[in-house]
Amino acid sequence: MRKNVIDVKADGEAVFTSRGGSSKYKVGDTVRHRKFGPGTVRSVDGNKLEIHFDEVGTKKVVDSFILPG
């Protein structure tokens, strides 16, 4: 089971970290993000994805925030 954790640094900055294995997505998959909209997976590193979103460009996102396209 994957777990995502939000750590708060001493200066108050929130840092999102991911603790998990591989992703169900692969390069070329069409996906959707609630805020960024539709996009295409460009690279996969464990459960971290680099996605080119149609409206906002390329972003790195943990796969638990992504829906199939």
Side-chain angles (χ1 to χ4, degrees):
M1 178 177 185
R2 281 187 257 184
K3 294 191 181 218
N4 298 319
V5 178
I6 297 176
D7 295 315
V8 179
K9 292 183 176 181
D11 64 2
E13 179 184 2
V15 178
F16 181 82
T17 55
S18 167
R19 313 231 170 127
S22 62
S23 178
K24 66 179 180 179
Y25 299 102
K26 63 185 186 318
V27 173
D29 283 351
T30 301
V31 296
R32 175 170 288 282
H33 185 276
R34 286 184 184 186
K35 181 177 180 182
F36 303 140
T40 303
V41 176
R42 295 291 171 98
S43 69
V44 179
D45 180 14
N47 66 338
K48 297 175 198 117
L49 308 174
E50 182 174 277
I51 301 170
H52 181 78
F53 293 99
D54 299 345
E55 300 294 321
V56 297
T58 301
K59 302 274 186 191
K60 291 184 179 181
V61 182
V62 176
D63 68 357
S64 61
F65 290 105
I66 299 301
L67 303 169

